[in-house]
Amino acid sequence: MDEEENSIHRILDAQEPVVKELVRGEVEHGVLIPLKTTLELRDDYVTARVLITRTPLKTANPAIMMLRELLSEEVVKCFPHLRRCAKPCDLPAHLKAQFMNESQQSRQIHTGKSNWIYIIAGPESMLNVEEVKQELAKLEGMEGEEVFIRSIPVPMVAPASQVQAAMWSQQFWPAVYRKNNPLGPHPSMIARSTDEINDDAAIWMSLAHQVAHQSQDGGFGEAMGACVIQREEDKTTIVALAGDARWCQRGKCGPEGNPMAHCVMRAISMVAQKLVRCENRQTQTNPTPILEYECFQDKPMLEDERKVFELEHPSPDGYLCHGLEMYLTHEPCVMCSMAILHSRMGKVVFRHRMPLTGGLSAEDRGCGHPSLGGADGGRGLGLFWRRELNWSLIAWEWESGGCMRPLEVDKAIHA
């Protein structure tokens, strides 16, 4: 037995008894690949036009103070990735060439050691050019000088790397990389989270695969499964285990089965039922729902589901799935992806991408995929991290080390 096998067996032995009882097959470490956000994968970026001016070095501070009086502090701080001031020698080559050839004074400013400096005045749309000129002309050292005002484009978002900052400094205006990621989760957050889940991710993925096989073999649904766990202070607790059940009541569903019985929806509902069960016990109530049709199919159908469902929720006072981790055999569809966000899940790991219907990946869906015959599912949504949504999480694709055979499903199906 090699070191990797020893490692996974030691991790499994440290789990709670129910987990050791549930895991029946071989477990082998895989590789976690963090998903990219839509912004990280789009080559285009938004630019805006700003006004720049230039003053003698000794007049730079008074000029900046004057400009702050014309614009609110929030507007002044909206370009933290751009240097407010730039020496003539630090301008992009095309701006240097343009300004040098405008006048004799400009040529002198750009020749040798200059005692002038360029300053970003602010967004062009928020400044009155004539007002800026009038105020600059009042400053010491600017008397009798022709006030210089030009409009240039600059990127609205910060660079995502040192390389991009260097490129923008050559293309637009001197830019600064501040070791953060304006387009997605911070690299240190991804690295830390990956380290947290890397050791035991294979165990939870193995359980998701088990219920996926059981659901398919039992005729309940597609070969898809979900496992939800809680991780606190180096201790992991299994919270829910659910297979797909879309075909459980064929006569009452459409040709694509019951969408509310996808494994993600069932797993989230099982977590919710545990919370309700605990609340009912505290309030000594037990209301019975009156339903003509049980759309969620969220009662345990498999023995493995039942064993986990009977366990109490480890944190019954929390909000639904806040901070929990979900391990999936397949990338969830758009509906399930939004359910994951609304339930406040903390992390999601899936094995198989769904190139036409998945909601988490940001890559264009289906286009150029060799097995899809030219099918196109449109632009990837990357729902795990979107600025316009009120929740975000970290998501990974998990690649098996080889012992876990693929769960093949129709690429156009919604998981």
Side-chain angles (χ1 to χ4, degrees), residues 297-308:
Q297 298 298 318
D298 52 7
K299 295 294 185 289
M301 297 180 178
L302 305 168
E303 182 62 18
D304 286 355
E305 292 179 350
R306 183 191 62 77
K307 290 178 181 178
V308 178

Side-chain angles (χ1 to χ4, degrees), residues 164-180:
Q164 191 172 49
M167 290 176 58
W168 286 0
S169 296
Q170 297 174 6
Q171 186 177 358
F172 298 104
W173 179 267
V176 182
Y177 173 56
R178 302 192 181 277
K179 295 185 179 179
N180 61 0

Side-chain angles (χ1 to χ4, degrees), residues 403-414:
C403 72
M404 203 176 293
R405 64 184 179 88
L407 292 171
E408 298 294 344
V409 298
D410 184 347
K411 295 291 192 300
I413 203 169
H414 291 259

Side-chain angles (χ1 to χ4, degrees), residues 353-356 364-377 411:
R353 288 200 183 216
M354 298 301 288
L356 284 177
D364 290 349
R365 302 195 293 179
C367 186
H369 200 284
S371 65
L372 298 178
D376 186 0
K411 295 291 192 300

Side-chain angles (χ1 to χ4, degrees), residues 43-326:
D43 292 331
D44 51 339
Y45 46 82
V46 178
T47 62
R49 300 196 74 85
V50 298
L51 295 180
I52 63 171
T53 186
R54 68 187 178 204
T55 69
L57 282 172
K58 63 180 182 180
T59 312
N61 282 335
I64 291 173
M65 296 300 295
M66 179 274 294
L67 291 168
R68 284 177 178 169
E69 293 179 3
L70 295 180
L71 292 174
S72 67
E73 190 67 19
E74 290 72 21
V75 176
V76 172
K77 293 180 178 179
C78 70
F79 298 107
H81 55 289
L82 300 175
R83 295 196 183 280
R84 185 70 190 270
C85 301
K87 297 177 181 178
C89 61
D90 293 332
L91 293 183
H94 68 282
L95 291 183
K96 278 192 278 192
Q98 175 186 334
F99 299 157
M100 278 184 67
N101 296 319
E102 286 184 347
S103 66
Q104 181 64 34
Q105 182 195 31
S106 291
R107 192 170 295 109
Q108 292 175 348
I109 288 173
H110 285 268
T111 303
K113 187 175 180 180
S114 177
N115 64 344
W116 285 70
I117 195 164
Y118 286 87
I119 303 171
I120 291 181
E124 182 178 12
S125 60
M126 304 183 70
L127 287 171
N128 183 301
V129 176
E130 292 304 319
E131 182 181 9
V132 173
K133 285 184 176 182
Q134 289 175 11
E135 294 299 322
L136 284 172
K138 299 176 184 178
L139 298 177
E140 183 182 355
M142 297 292 288
E143 304 92 342
E145 298 284 351
E146 182 183 352
V147 177
F148 176 94
I149 296 285
R150 296 293 183 273
S151 171
I152 64 168
V154 294
M156 290 292 289
V157 297
S161 67
Q162 189 66 53
V163 173
Q164 191 172 49
M167 290 176 58
W168 286 0
S169 296
Q170 297 174 6
Q171 186 177 358
F172 298 104
W173 179 267
V176 182
Y177 173 56
R178 302 192 181 277
K179 295 185 179 179
N180 61 0
N181 183 9
L183 310 179
H186 195 282
S188 64
M189 180 193 299
I190 296 176
R192 185 173 61 251
S193 298
T194 302
D195 289 341
E196 286 176 358
I197 70 174
N198 188 56
D199 288 343
D200 57 15
I203 296 173
W204 318 119
M205 191 61 72
S206 175
L207 291 178
H209 274 65
Q210 279 185 200
V211 291
H213 284 297
Q214 293 167 6
S215 291
Q216 185 183 47
D217 293 343
F220 299 123
E222 297 290 330
M224 299 173 177
C227 178
V228 179
I229 70 162
Q230 175 178 281
R231 188 184 304 274
E232 281 190 343
E233 298 179 356
D234 298 327
K235 179 186 176 184
T236 51
T237 306
I238 189 167
V239 183
L241 195 60
D244 186 80
R246 71 186 66 199
W247 305 123
C248 194
Q249 294 183 334
R250 288 180 181 269
K252 298 181 180 181
C253 305
E256 295 185 359
N258 178 9
M260 305 306 289
H262 289 185
C263 61
V264 169
M265 303 298 286
R266 294 187 69 229
I268 292 174
S269 185
M270 287 179 182
V271 175
Q273 287 184 74
K274 286 190 172 188
L275 295 173
V276 171
R277 188 169 67 196
C278 180
E279 183 180 343
N280 289 344
R281 190 178 296 116
Q282 292 174 351
T283 59
Q284 297 184 345
T285 58
N286 188 22
T288 302
I290 302 174
L291 300 173
E292 293 184 8
Y293 171 53
E294 181 53 73
C295 63
F296 282 100
Q297 298 298 318
D298 52 7
K299 295 294 185 289
M301 297 180 178
L302 305 168
E303 182 62 18
D304 286 355
E305 292 179 350
R306 183 191 62 77
K307 290 178 181 178
V308 178
F309 186 74
E310 290 177 352
L311 301 173
E312 294 302 321
H313 195 296
S315 299
D317 297 327
Y319 173 79
L320 199 47
C321 298
H322 188 274
L324 301 184
E325 299 171 14
M326 177 173 275

